[in-house]
Amino acid sequence: MDPRPLTGEPISLELLNTRWPQDGEPQDLLSSLDGLAIWLASPTVASELGEHPVHADEPTLAALLRARDALAELLADPANTAAADAVLARGRLRLTASPQGPAERLELDDPAYYPAWTAVRDYLRLVGDRPDRLRKCAHDACVLHFFDTSKNGTRRWCSMAACGNRAKASRHYARARTGRD
């Protein structure tokens, strides 16, 4: 069972969201091979990786941890591209012809980098397509990120039931306290 509080995001954000706080304690899904297996089996990740064989092994875990750190660095400073470029340098897309028309084929120097490379490429796609929709949860204590797919683009919380509700309750409590003072 996937313990993460937010799932169903694009693969790059699914990777970033493998770290989260719970009851004041840091959690990390990628702290073990079992956690890696859970992440790889999650519907969004499995769908994005498709039929490509991916193993929950140490090399794949190490590559994903490098990619997660690279994505965190890009979020903190978009000009700091060295770590992301290092992950992307492990593969390249080759254009090919197919009976259905043009196609792309990914060539990797190490198959363990397939999920990591895919996650970093996905992040670049999100930033290229709709950078204004890539967001961090507005709750101060939350570290999760999401891609805002709301019609008007005003989503603020990773989850309205969790962080959004906490913020509303906090505002209500502050108003009630002010009214008593």
Side-chain angles (χ1 to χ4, degrees):
M1 181 164 152
D2 195 332
R4 294 176 297 152
L6 179 64
T7 58
E9 294 296 324
I11 190 170
S12 55
L13 302 180
E14 287 280 322
L15 181 55
L16 279 168
N17 292 340
T18 56
R19 288 188 285 206
W20 72 97
Q22 185 174 330
D23 300 325
E25 294 295 319
Q27 305 295 311
D28 186 349
L29 186 64
L30 299 182
S31 63
S32 69
L33 292 178
D34 290 339
L36 172 59
I38 290 169
W39 186 80
L40 289 170
S42 69
T44 302
V45 173
S47 171
E48 186 67 32
L49 297 178
E51 299 299 317
H52 193 280
V54 179
H55 305 287
D57 56 19
E58 290 293 339
T60 302
L61 180 59
L64 278 167
L65 292 174
R66 283 186 197 101
R68 182 175 69 181
D69 290 345
L71 292 173
E73 287 178 25
L74 279 175
L75 278 169
D77 178 8
N80 187 2
T81 64
D85 288 343
V87 172
L88 292 170
R90 304 300 302 258
R92 68 180 180 160
L93 289 176
R94 181 175 293 275
L95 293 175
T96 63
S98 75
Q100 294 78 29
E104 295 177 342
R105 185 178 69 232
L106 175 60
E107 296 176 349
L108 295 162
D109 64 5
D110 181 351
Y113 266 84
Y114 180 63
W117 192 93
T118 302
V120 174
R121 180 178 186 227
D122 175 67
Y123 178 82
L124 296 178
R125 179 189 60 80
L126 292 175
V127 169
D129 290 349
R130 298 296 308 261
D132 57 316
R133 296 290 182 118
L134 185 60
R135 304 214 174 103
K136 179 187 174 299
C137 180
H139 193 280
D140 293 340
C142 188
V143 299
L144 299 176
H145 292 82
F146 61 90
F147 189 72
D148 183 358
T149 58
S150 67
K151 191 172 187 175
N152 59 4
T154 58
R155 180 176 166 195
R156 297 180 57 206
W157 317 106
C158 64
S159 163
M160 193 60 208
C163 289
N165 191 46
R166 281 194 295 259
K168 287 194 316 187
S170 178
R171 285 192 307 266
H172 173 76
Y173 178 73
R175 281 193 306 269
R177 272 187 66 87
T178 305
R180 281 186 270 157
D181 293 343

